[in-house]
Amino acid sequence: MKLPGTALGVCALMGLGLGCSSTQVRQAETLMGTVVEITAEGRDADLVQARVAAALAEIQRVDRLMSHYREDSEVSRINRGAGKAAVPVSPEVWEVITRALEISRLSAGAFDPTVGPLEELWNFSAAETPAEPPTAEALSRALAQVGWQKVKVDTAAGTVFLSQPGMRLDLGAVAKGWAVDRAILALKTPGVERALVNAGGDLRAFVRPGGKRWRIGLQDPRRPDSLLGEMEIENEAVATSGQYQRGFQINGRWFGHILDPRTGRPAEGTLSATAVAEECWKADAWATALFVLGPEQGWKVLSAAPGVEALVVSTDGQRHLTTGLAPRFRPASAE
Ligand code: AMP
Ligand code: MG
């Protein structure tokens, strides 16, 4: 099955029909380093358009708070305080960090929002590919500055402290999902009947009771212009992590941007990991965690995460589906 339009990990194939008097507004913008596409429907086109604009503004707002690339973000302020001071943060940033650390605990550290020093060392967004991967010595130096247990969150004071100098928070595996959730909240207002927010493969849908479901396609990690299969979703989120999305090649070997915090190197053994959950921050974080863990270890830790279903494609091309997702996933006919 060929993928229509730009390949974004997940794509909305189509709404299953549009209510007769409904208008559809669709807008795409590059935000948070990816293409964010919002589709929303309702009777009053102006009102729907205004809600889509509000949803896009929410994504920009979350990016300003949580991007470690922005000097003035709260995350950058926390990073500047590493080893020195507990930094007061807004309730929203506090909430995301607290939830991220909970996923770190549940995933036995496979998901770790303190991978910042390792990401800096690998520098996947560098203009030029390095001649060699980092040395073992450089990796162990960076690894010494990683560890979710060294993040001290003070609930009463509303502060976050990176307890060791050189530590750096990187919310890249959860903030996009959080932003999608905020965008859905902005859309879920009277006058909007159904909506879909897709931030480069991390998406969440909203449908009013009795409304039509969304049909989404999941990208085949081996052939990114083709689909692995599709599924229908209502009020839930789907996020996908894949090494093919970002990385570089050195001497014929691909190094992808999702790191295994236990080794400091790109996680191996997985081609893509998709997680389904009620909220997108959670699907986003689990997709990354499951990418690192693979299906065998992943399914074990998922037992402590009710409401999360998953599909993992391992490097041998095998598809692994949780029992809750298997009946809902329709493989592409070409398979
Ligand atoms: P995603 O595309 O959602 O899987 O997120 C990948 C991004 O999250 C990377 O570009 C890093 O910024 C960060 N990251 C990489 N490895 C991990 C990890 N094991 N746990 C948490 N965040 C990670
Ligand atoms: Mg993620």
Side-chain angles (χ1 to χ4, degrees):
M1 191 191 291
K2 276 288 182 194
L3 198 68
T6 30
L8 292 175
V10 182
C11 69
L13 290 177
M14 62 171 88
L16 296 177
L18 195 60
C20 29
S21 51
S22 238
T23 327
Q24 187 177 80
V25 174
R26 182 178 291 201
Q27 199 167 329
E29 253 180 58
T30 302
L31 298 169
M32 299 187 100
T34 193
V35 179
V36 177
E37 187 180 70
I38 300 187
T39 312
E41 294 167 10
R43 281 163 201 269
D44 180 340
D46 290 343
L47 188 148
V48 176
Q49 181 65 61
R51 296 323 303 164
V52 169
L56 287 166
E58 274 295 274
I59 292 176
Q60 273 167 326
R61 186 184 64 76
V62 171
D63 188 41
R64 280 197 298 271
L65 280 176
M66 300 182 197
S67 167
H68 58 279
Y69 295 110
R70 292 172 180 266
E71 282 282 300
D72 58 348
S73 73
E74 289 196 16
V75 165
S76 290
R77 278 207 287 125
I78 295 169
N79 288 344
R80 282 195 292 274
K84 290 189 264 187
V87 176
V89 294
S90 63
E92 191 170 352
V93 169
W94 184 89
E95 185 79 39
V96 174
I97 292 171
T98 307
R99 292 185 192 200
L101 294 173
E102 175 64 1
I103 306 290
S104 298
R105 191 182 66 77
L106 291 171
S107 69
F111 174 89
D112 191 330
T114 68
V115 291
L118 285 168
E119 284 290 334
E120 258 172 42
L121 178 65
W122 283 91
N123 196 8
F124 294 106
S125 38
E128 274 181 47
T129 300
E132 297 290 340
T135 62
E137 201 199 338
L139 278 175
S140 71
R141 259 199 316 268
L143 267 173
Q145 294 168 328
V146 172
W148 62 274
Q149 278 141 321
K150 295 186 270 195
V151 182
K152 307 295 172 202
V153 174
D154 186 328
T155 310
T159 58
V160 177
F161 179 41
L162 304 182
S163 61
Q164 197 180 309
M167 284 181 75
R168 292 185 75 78
L169 269 187
D170 173 341
L171 298 180
V174 66
K176 216 195 305 163
W178 180 269
V180 169
D181 288 327
R182 267 44 267 154
I184 282 289
L185 281 186
L187 287 158
K188 220 171 168 179
T189 53
V192 179
E193 294 304 317
R194 58 201 284 276
L196 185 78
V197 178
N198 182 0
D202 294 351
L203 66 82
R204 181 168 164 183
F206 152 65
V207 181
R208 288 217 181 272
K212 307 257 180 342
R213 289 194 292 267
W214 292 92
R215 187 147 67 93
I216 59 156
L218 299 179
Q219 188 179 335
D220 185 339
R222 292 159 301 178
R223 286 163 292 166
D225 59 342
S226 299
L227 289 184
L228 201 61
E230 57 185 59
M231 60 185 285
E232 287 177 14
I233 59 169
E234 235 167 36
N235 292 295
E236 60 192 331
V238 180
T240 298
S241 285
Q243 291 292 45
Y244 56 90
Q245 291 163 335
R246 199 149 68 85
F248 46 58
Q249 202 165 5
I250 303 174
N251 299 329
R253 182 160 168 217
W254 180 258
F255 294 87
H257 71 300
I258 300 167
L259 299 173
D260 185 335
R262 298 164 297 190
T263 63
R265 299 176 192 277
E268 286 175 2
T270 309
L271 287 179
S272 75
T274 299
V276 183
E278 198 180 332
E279 295 179 297
C280 200
W281 72 269
K282 196 184 262 189
D284 190 3
W286 274 111
T288 308
L290 293 170
F291 189 97
V292 174
L293 290 168
E296 201 176 311
Q297 292 177 60
W299 277 203
K300 277 189 203 142
V301 298
L302 266 192
S303 60
V308 182
E309 300 293 340
L311 158 64
V312 170
V313 182
S314 38
T315 38
D316 57 9
Q318 285 282 328
R319 278 196 313 245
H320 308 264
L321 288 133
T322 53
T323 47
L325 190 59
R328 300 179 55 192
F329 178 75
R330 239 173 320 158
S333 50
E335 287 286 302

